[in-house]
Amino acid sequence: MKLRYEGTKRFLILYPENHLIEDGYEIETTDEKFIKDLKELDFKEVKAKKTKESDK
């Protein structure tokens, strides 16, 4: 699942990797616990855009 941060505060995520989070930051994960935690921090689910086969 792909998530985008839509909050106003900047902060660091230290696990599983170090990331500076600010407005518009996107992260992709399949870990359900991590997804739940991110949603509590104002991350919103991003719908995947369909791509053409020729774009690959």
Side-chain angles (χ1 to χ4, degrees):
M1 175 181 289
K2 193 171 192 179
L3 301 158
R4 177 182 295 137
Y5 180 64
E6 297 180 355
T8 56
K9 295 182 180 180
R10 292 174 50 176
F11 60 93
L12 289 172
I13 289 182
L14 302 176
Y15 181 83
E17 299 172 1
N18 295 346
H19 295 280
L20 175 61
I21 307 301
E22 50 193 347
D23 190 37
Y25 184 84
E26 292 185 357
I27 191 166
E28 192 167 346
T29 184
T30 57
D31 183 351
E32 293 297 323
K33 169 97 171 85
F34 191 45
I35 290 170
K36 182 181 176 191
D37 292 341
L38 290 174
K39 286 185 176 182
E40 290 177 6
L41 296 171
D42 292 330
F43 277 79
K44 307 291 184 211
E45 185 176 345
V46 176
K47 302 295 181 190
K49 295 180 182 177
K50 294 183 180 179
T51 59
K52 297 179 185 176
E53 289 294 321
S54 61
D55 291 345
K56 292 184 179 181

